[in-house]
Amino acid sequence: MVVSFQFYAELNDFLPRHKRQVTINYDLKERASIKDTIEALGVPHPEVCCIEVNGEYVDFSYIVKDGDTINVYPISATPQTTTITSVAVGTPEIICFVLDVHLGKLATSLRLLGFDTLYRNDYGDEELARISSSESRILLTRDCGLLMRSIVTYGYYVRHTDPQQQIVEVMRRFDLSKLVSPFLRCLRCNGLLETVEKELIVDQLPETVREQMYDFHRCQSCGQIYWQGSHYQKLQQFISEVLEVKK
Ligand SMILES: [Zn+2]
């Protein structure tokens, strides 16, 4: 049973070089759903927005038939017609994330911009998939196999390896610039920050800070204290740079 596939736009990132941007003739040995067939070719299902088979739109449960001509589109290249059936579930109502163990710097940047971001350097794959599924969090990862787990609905494969480019990439993909709310979350633990009177925490401050700073925030979860020192200015500059690149 031979079927032909065409993958559009950034879905080609998941294919070996010689299969990119060309029609792929795929020899199917046994009965399979289109979801499993697409993943067998290397493309994780959360990256797929819609699937057209012989001119009709189908969902993931469609069973592939001999001679099918299949077009697979990501969100960025979805054809603009009103009759389309999307397999993509879009994004969760409230944007929040869970990140794999390789994305620690990206996690810090997302928290800095105010996004609810779970990250631990000892999360296992199963746990990441479970958290993403049960809490409707977008799973950001550099592991395609993790995205292919069937319980993962919201997920995205981060293309860049450089953390500065990663944050720009994720902001573009999920259109985050309007949702930015800096200094809302603790960079260490994702907890929410609250303003705190200086006299309550004065004994915890370094001497220079004690003399020069007046406005403080404290993490409601871990107690970490934040003030608007040089660290704050560097962070603020980073945020404006990220937003500048976005334009
Ligand atoms: Zn904290």
Side-chain angles (χ1 to χ4, degrees):
M1 176 156 76
V2 177
V3 294
S4 75
F5 271 98
Q6 176 86 50
F7 288 92
Y8 285 81
E10 68 265 22
L11 295 183
N12 284 275
D13 296 348
F14 299 102
L15 302 173
R17 213 159 278 278
H18 67 281
K19 287 186 178 165
R20 288 181 193 171
Q21 309 290 356
V22 296
T23 301
I24 301 165
N25 290 313
Y26 185 66
D27 192 2
L28 206 61
K29 303 276 185 266
E30 55 193 29
R31 188 175 190 271
S33 71
I34 201 152
K35 183 185 181 191
D36 290 345
T37 314
I38 287 169
E39 293 202 324
L41 283 159
V43 178
H45 70 270
E47 295 268 340
V48 174
C49 183
C50 65
I51 310 165
E52 188 185 15
V53 180
N54 309 322
E56 305 266 329
Y57 290 95
V58 300
D59 65 27
F60 277 134
S61 64
Y62 175 83
I63 302 296
V64 178
K65 297 180 182 64
D66 192 30
D68 277 349
T69 299
I70 301 164
N71 291 320
V72 189
Y73 303 93
I75 192 157
S76 74
T78 295
Q80 299 295 315
T81 81
T82 49
T83 56
I84 209 155
T85 308
S86 174
V87 295
V89 286
T91 46
E93 208 164 310
I94 298 164
I95 298 262
C96 53
F97 299 96
V98 57
L99 272 60
D100 83 18
V101 296
H102 305 292
L103 298 175
K105 287 196 173 132
L106 177 60
T108 305
S109 297
L110 284 168
R111 285 174 183 169
L112 172 56
L113 296 170
F115 295 102
D116 181 351
T117 304
L118 294 188
Y119 168 81
R120 282 217 326 256
N121 62 8
D122 61 350
Y123 273 148
D125 284 1
E126 199 170 334
E127 198 175 8
L128 286 164
R130 187 181 48 72
I131 293 170
S132 166
S133 169
S134 65
E135 299 183 23
S136 293
R137 288 177 178 272
I138 300 167
L139 174 57
L140 300 180
T141 180
R142 300 245 328 133
D143 178 348
C144 287
L146 182 53
L147 279 187
M148 287 184 194
R149 285 178 177 245
S150 58
I151 63 166
V152 176
T153 302
Y154 304 107
Y156 175 71
Y157 177 79
V158 180
R159 269 69 166 178
H160 284 103
T161 50
D162 173 64
Q164 294 271 12
Q165 290 178 305
Q166 285 174 339
I167 183 65
V168 177
E169 180 188 335
V170 170
M171 289 195 67
R172 282 197 181 128
R173 169 61 184 81
F174 295 99
D175 199 16
L176 298 181
S177 61
K178 286 193 241 33
L179 303 173
V180 164
S181 177
F183 313 107
L184 177 71
R185 290 198 177 261
C186 177
L187 304 188
R188 282 197 346 189
C189 81
N190 196 46
L192 287 166
L193 303 184
E194 61 185 355
T195 53
V196 62
E197 293 300 321
K198 186 176 179 178
E199 55 264 30
L200 293 175
I201 48 147
V202 72
D203 55 339
Q204 298 172 51
L205 300 173
E207 200 154 335
T208 50
V209 173
R210 203 177 298 172
E211 286 160 11
Q212 293 167 15
M213 297 295 157
Y214 301 95
D215 296 320
F216 297 91
H217 287 82
R218 181 167 59 189
C219 172
Q220 296 178 28
S221 302
C222 77
Q224 174 82 8
I225 292 159
Y226 294 88
W227 58 86
Q228 303 189 356
S230 62
H231 181 54
Y232 173 89
Q233 274 150 16
K234 266 187 228 153
L235 298 185
Q236 211 166 32
Q237 194 187 342
F238 168 72
I239 291 168
S240 10
E241 277 168 20
V242 168
L243 297 182
E244 198 60 37
V245 178
K246 169 75 177 70
K247 280 175 193 155

